[in-house]
């Protein structure tokens, strides 16, 4: 037999009803009265419950921690020292490069002067020792040379 075909009998259950037990009213305890001027009067809040009762009390504000001053992750002194060191290294590196550049420029100018002297000296030697103006000899007496229009004539 399948459960759908079984006859349904309403189940009988025992119903229990619970009634709340009221608390006895609180007996006020006489506390010593100390005359103190309150700084501020706290606000009184009233709440109406769904059954019509009114609950009145002071609002409790959550305590807030005092704000902590925001501290940078790295101190300013450390940042300034690091930047000063980086600047000092940059200046030293620049001076080394400047010194190297001046030394290289001096060597380059010296080589240009030597090259000019060699070329000019070679040109003078070619002019002196050329056989163009001489009939048979290769010996030239420089004491007798006469310079006319940039040409040596013997």
């Amino acid at each position: 037999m399948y459960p759908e075909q079984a006859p349904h009998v309403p189940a009988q259950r025992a119903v229990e009803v619970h009634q709340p037990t009221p608390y006895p009213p609180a007996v006020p305890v006489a506390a010593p009265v100390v005359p103190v001027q309150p700084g501020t009067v706290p606000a009184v809040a009233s709440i109406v419950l769904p059954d019509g009762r009114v609950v009145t009390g002071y609002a409790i504000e959550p305590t807030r921690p005092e704000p902590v001053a925001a501290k940078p992750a790295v101190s300013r002194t450390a940042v300034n020292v690091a930047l000063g060191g980086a600047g000092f290294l940059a200046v030293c590196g620049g001076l080394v490069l400047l010194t190297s550049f001046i030394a290289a420029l001096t060597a380059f100018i010296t080589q240009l002067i030597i090259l000019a002297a060699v070329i000019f000296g070679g040109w003078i030697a070619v002019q002196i020792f050329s056989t163009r103006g001489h009939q048979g000899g290769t010996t030239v007496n420089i004491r007798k040379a006469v310079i006319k229009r940039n040409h040596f004539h013997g």
Side-chain angles (χ1 to χ4, degrees), residues 84-100:
F88 179 74
L89 288 178
V91 168
C92 288
L95 289 176
V96 167
L97 288 177
L98 181 64
T99 305
S100 300

Side-chain angles (χ1 to χ4, degrees), residues 13-90:
R13 292 186 187 172
V15 178
E16 295 180 23
V17 177
H18 295 282
Q19 295 293 329
T21 306
Y23 287 116
V27 178
V29 177
V33 178
V34 178
V36 176
Q37 291 290 334
T40 59
V41 177
V44 177
S46 296
I47 300 173
V48 178
L49 298 177
D51 61 355
R53 292 182 294 165
V54 177
V55 177
T56 303
Y58 293 108
I60 299 174
E61 294 182 14
T63 57
R64 295 180 188 155
E66 293 186 23
V68 178
K71 248 184 155 178
V74 179
S75 70
R76 293 181 190 271
T77 304
V79 170
N80 290 339
V81 167
L83 289 176
F88 179 74
L89 288 178

